[in-house]
Amino acid sequence: MRLNNEEIFGIARKIKANMTGESWETIAHSVVSYEADVTELMPLIKEMNEGADKANRITVNSVMLKIITEGIKAMPLINSHLEFDRKLVRGKLKVYDTINISVPMVLPTGEMMTVNLRDMEKKSISEMDATVKETVKKAKNTDINEALFDVSLNDTLQGLKKGKVLQAARRLYGSKMPGQHRVETLKGEEKKKYYSIPEHERLSQKDLEQGTITVSNLGSVYREGSQRCYMLQIVPPQTCVIALLSIRDEPAVVVDENGEKSLGIKQVLPMTLAFDHRAYDYPDIIPFFRKLDEIFANPSVIKDWK
């Protein structure tokens, strides 16, 4: 067996590997799939964008973020963080009124970073769209290693305050001791120049800290794909993650105004929801899907949310 390549993990991959390991070691993942009929929704989005230039058109992504936010309002339990001590069998679920959505996004460099879109429960579709576009703009001014090291260092220091001394020592040793695994951050004039960029023009610690729920739009990365998603990773301490897939045409039973059934074609947007079974049960998430059913059955409601 001949080694083709060897890639040392950078800080982004280290954080993902650590978080993924913790997720699958500690969380009881349960998964539900949902197929949204967007046949009537898509023409409405096109209508809402009539006369708007490309920069000001609302995206399907922003519309879906709004629809999901309305679903979360109907089922607040999924907008939560879980604290659970398995040794002492003690648990606590922190349910939030504020909906801060963690969204993985691909940076201009091709790297991936998860950003925190704050206060989504207060925003219209247009405001959500503007938030996403502003975040993309800020990402272009961001040094991913520098930003993630700041987040990682803060997380380590917070752990130290909670008495996690060994964990803090290991993390600091692993990131800053000399050698091929050392995390390199900016120095000298490069660092000075980077931090001269106003914080509101680049991704800061506030933009990268944990949200209350994660929504990953896999379909936006590969629109022409016909993939399915059967498993998702929940990011602790969150209790829920939602994935959106690419829209596709599928055969379906169509019911006309007279109640007659026939075979037809519908546009379907597959969704996958994974939740932490330690926090709540399958019946608890039904209000979320009922709200989505209600919206997709009467999609013209999105005009009131623009």
Side-chain angles (χ1 to χ4, degrees):
M1 183 168 63
R2 186 172 62 185
L3 180 65
N4 183 50
N5 188 31
E6 186 175 79
E7 184 178 332
I8 304 300
F9 282 8
I11 187 167
R13 183 53 57 188
K14 283 183 178 184
I15 290 173
K16 289 170 191 171
N18 184 61
M19 193 68 74
T20 300
E22 182 182 345
S23 174
W24 293 109
E25 286 170 8
T26 61
I27 294 177
H29 289 71
S30 293
V31 182
V32 182
S33 60
Y34 178 88
E35 294 198 339
D37 181 352
V38 295
T39 310
E40 295 180 18
L41 178 70
M42 297 308 290
L44 283 169
I45 296 174
K46 186 177 180 180
E47 181 185 324
M48 290 165 69
N49 281 325
E50 282 180 3
D53 57 36
K54 190 174 181 180
N56 293 311
R57 291 175 192 160
I58 60 170
T59 64
V60 175
N61 180 67
S62 297
V63 172
M64 289 306 301
L65 284 175
K66 178 62 177 175
I67 291 171
I68 287 168
T69 298
E70 293 303 309
I72 294 169
K73 290 177 185 177
M75 197 279 178
L77 276 182
I78 65 175
N79 191 54
S80 60
H81 285 178
L82 175 68
E83 291 181 4
F84 185 75
D85 187 322
R86 193 171 181 183
K87 292 178 181 177
L88 298 176
V89 198
R90 293 175 180 173
K92 177 167 58 177
L93 190 64
K94 296 180 176 180
V95 182
Y96 298 97
D97 289 332
T98 302
I99 300 175
N100 294 339
I101 302 181
S102 295
V103 176
M105 63 179 293
V106 179
L107 301 177
T109 58
E111 297 169 294
M112 184 164 279
M113 179 183 285
T114 300
V115 296
N116 186 354
L117 306 181
R118 293 175 169 275
D119 304 317
M120 298 297 267
E121 78 287 353
K122 300 176 182 177
K123 291 181 167 63
S124 65
I125 295 174
S126 297
E127 288 169 335
M128 287 184 175
D129 202 65
T131 297
V132 172
K133 287 170 181 172
E134 180 62 25
T135 303
V136 171
K137 185 178 176 182
K138 288 164 71 172
K140 293 177 181 178
N141 294 328
T142 303
D143 183 287
I144 187 170
N145 281 355
E146 198 69 27
L148 288 178
F149 184 76
D150 284 346
V151 172
S152 180
L153 182 60
N154 180 68
D155 184 59
T156 300
L157 294 175
Q158 291 301 316
L160 196 57
K161 289 179 182 178
K162 294 177 183 178
K164 299 178 181 179
V165 180
L166 186 58
Q167 181 193 71
R170 284 172 173 167
R171 285 186 175 183
L172 290 171
Y173 177 85
S175 64
K176 280 303 180 183
M177 285 300 290
Q180 61 182 351
H181 295 284
R182 178 184 174 89
V183 175
E184 296 295 341
T185 50
L186 299 175
K187 296 179 179 65
E189 284 301 315
E190 257 190 334
K191 185 170 185 174
K192 186 178 178 181
K193 183 180 178 181
Y194 178 69
Y195 283 100
S196 69
I197 301 171
E199 195 169 286
H200 68 274
E201 293 181 8
R202 56 181 166 85
L203 296 177
S204 64
Q205 197 172 113
K206 186 178 178 182
D207 297 304
L208 301 176
E209 66 186 17
Q210 273 279 19
T212 53
I213 188 170
T214 294
V215 177
S216 182
N217 192 343
L218 304 177
S220 67
V221 179
Y222 186 29
R223 286 189 179 89
E224 65 274 23
S226 58
Q227 66 278 0
R228 300 277 182 179
C229 179
Y230 298 105
M231 182 56 75
L232 282 170
Q233 173 202 315
I234 300 165
V235 181
Q238 295 177 11
T239 63
C240 185
V241 57
I242 298 167
L244 305 176
L245 283 298
S246 54
I247 297 170
R248 65 193 66 160
D249 292 332
E250 291 194 354
V253 175
V254 179
V255 182
D256 64 21
E257 62 273 11
N258 298 316
E260 295 293 326
K261 296 179 181 179
S262 62
L263 284 177
I265 301 294
K266 287 186 177 181
Q267 284 188 294
V268 174
L269 193 160
M271 299 171 58
T272 304
L273 181 149
F275 69 93
D276 189 337
H277 217 322
R278 299 174 303 170
Y280 37 85
D281 303 311
Y282 279 102
D284 294 318
I285 64 173
I286 290 174
F288 174 82
F289 290 115
R290 278 190 176 146
K291 187 63 179 180
L292 265 59
D293 286 342
E294 178 188 315
I295 294 168
F296 291 118
N298 181 31
S300 61
V301 71
I302 69 169
K303 292 182 177 181
D304 299 329
W305 298 336
K306 187 179 179 182

